[in-house]
Amino acid sequence: SGSRFNREDMELLMGFAEGLALNLERITLQEEVILERTEKEKLDELNRMKTEFITTVSHELRTPMSSLLGLSEMLQDGKIKNKTVQEKMLHLITEECSRLTRFLHNILDIGKIEQRAKTYKKNILEIQPIIEDILQLFQSQLESGRFRLHTEIPRDPLTLEIDRDALKQALTNLLDNAIKYSHDKRVITVRLVDEKESILIQVQDTGIGIADEDQGKIFSNFFRSTEAIAHCPRGVGLGLKVVAHIMAAHNGAVRVESHPGEGSTFTLIFPRQ
């Protein structure tokens, strides 16, 4: 309008400015408080996860170590004379050692994955012998657990550019879970499927299954559903995270199909070169 501000106008504007400054200062303080609270909550959550991880790992190591110590002392002292019982105890020792080895491999691999230091050495390899090696490794465990194993593996050789040890670890983790979470009906099926654009390896069980809301979480670090914990307390929830990383490193994917009480099917999808 061309009119000059008078004293009252200036006082009014100064009042607005002071009020705005106070509001901005209050907002800044509120943001600082919120940030501090968020950081504290994150720290508390990290501490909780660390404590839970240490407790779980300690339990996972303590239980089999105690079993191994007790069995080995009984054998060493010569208290067990029966050959059949001796063989059974040696079998238990072997199984516990294998389980510890798988557990420690997953722990070490998760550390490398988190540090982005995990590498894979890929070669063009035939798939069938690798699957057969893993099934042979689990043979005694499947027999002692009274599992029925079905295999659907084509005779014609199928090859992929893969890391042998990584594929073995992925299959080991899937078979270990299939055994761990099986119900009274103990049937496990392993398939090798030749498709046009990909090669699939499937591990199917008839176990407790996975709820729909949990299927997107099972490939995360340390996730275990309440049903899984109730059915089998041992485990830290790392195996499937390792499987997912292995498949991503091979430009593939892992897929799960499951229904509670009806079992699960995990599929490793390897794209053809």
Side-chain angles (χ1 to χ4, degrees):
S1 65
S3 300
R4 287 178 174 273
F5 287 107
N6 58 31
R7 183 179 297 276
E8 291 180 356
D9 294 332
M10 294 297 292
E11 289 177 355
L12 180 62
L13 288 172
M14 289 297 292
F16 283 146
E18 288 175 1
L20 179 60
L22 289 172
N23 284 332
L24 288 173
E25 186 177 356
R26 185 170 65 250
I27 291 170
T28 302
L29 289 173
Q30 288 176 341
E31 287 179 344
E32 290 176 356
V33 170
I34 291 170
L35 285 173
E36 287 179 3
R37 185 181 302 166
T38 302
E39 290 297 324
K40 184 179 182 304
E41 289 175 353
K42 286 182 179 179
L43 184 60
D44 290 343
E45 177 65 13
L46 286 173
N47 287 331
R48 185 194 65 77
M49 290 177 65
K50 181 176 70 174
T51 302
E52 183 178 337
F53 175 73
I54 292 172
T55 302
T56 305
V57 169
S58 299
H59 175 74
E60 285 291 310
L61 293 175
R62 189 189 307 115
T63 302
M65 290 301 292
S66 299
S67 300
L68 289 170
L69 182 61
L71 291 170
S72 59
E73 285 178 347
M74 291 175 67
L75 290 171
Q76 190 174 26
D77 293 342
K79 295 179 180 179
I80 308 299
K81 304 296 183 182
N82 187 295
K83 290 272 188 182
T84 304
V85 177
Q86 287 179 355
E87 290 178 1
K88 185 176 181 180
M89 292 176 70
L90 287 170
H91 173 71
L92 289 173
I93 289 174
T94 302
E95 282 195 349
E96 287 295 283
C97 287
S98 297
R99 186 164 74 85
L100 275 175
T101 300
R102 294 195 294 270
F103 175 73
L104 292 174
H105 279 170
N106 285 334
I107 292 288
L108 293 172
D109 278 350
I110 283 295
K112 291 179 182 178
I113 289 170
E114 294 297 326
Q115 296 172 12
R116 298 185 179 180
K118 180 64 179 174
T119 58
Y120 299 95
K121 185 179 180 180
K122 300 176 186 177
N123 293 291
I124 297 176
L125 300 171
E126 188 178 338
I127 306 301
Q128 283 94 329
I130 299 175
I131 296 176
E132 290 168 3
D133 286 347
I134 295 300
L135 294 179
Q136 183 67 32
L137 178 67
F138 277 90
Q139 183 176 353
S140 60
Q141 190 174 350
L142 292 168
E143 289 177 354
S144 62
R146 297 181 179 178
F147 282 88
R148 284 186 294 155
L149 175 66
H150 296 309
T151 58
E152 300 175 12
I153 300 175
R155 292 184 179 181
D156 294 337
L158 294 177
T159 59
L160 284 171
E161 186 177 2
I162 55 170
D163 183 302
R164 181 193 299 272
D165 292 336
L167 177 56
K168 283 186 174 182
Q169 187 173 9
L171 288 174
T172 295
N173 288 349
L174 294 183
L175 280 167
D176 190 44
N177 282 350
I179 292 171
K180 190 188 304 181
Y181 298 116
S182 282
H183 254 323
D184 296 333
K185 185 181 178 182
R186 300 190 164 199
V187 180
I188 293 176
T189 304
V190 177
R191 299 185 187 90
L192 178 60
V193 183
D194 184 8
E195 294 190 341
K196 286 185 178 181
E197 298 182 355
S198 58
I199 293 176
L200 314 181
I201 302 176
Q202 294 182 325
V203 177
Q204 180 180 3
D205 64 62
T206 53
I208 62 174
I210 306 166
D212 291 342
E213 61 270 20
D214 291 334
Q215 291 181 22
K217 306 173 186 176
I218 57 175
F219 298 103
S220 304
N221 281 349
F222 310 118
F223 177 80
R224 298 189 73 213
S225 67
T226 53
E227 293 79 7
I229 295 172
H231 182 79
C232 182
R234 64 181 177 88
V236 292
L238 295 177
L240 291 178
K241 171 72 174 183
V242 173
V243 172
H245 188 271
I246 288 171
M247 295 311 299
H250 287 78
N251 299 317
V254 54
R255 182 178 65 212
V256 59
E257 297 176 23
S258 184
H259 299 283
E262 298 179 13
S264 305
T265 301
F266 285 86
T267 303
L268 306 179
I269 306 171
F270 294 92
R272 287 190 174 279
Q273 307 302 319

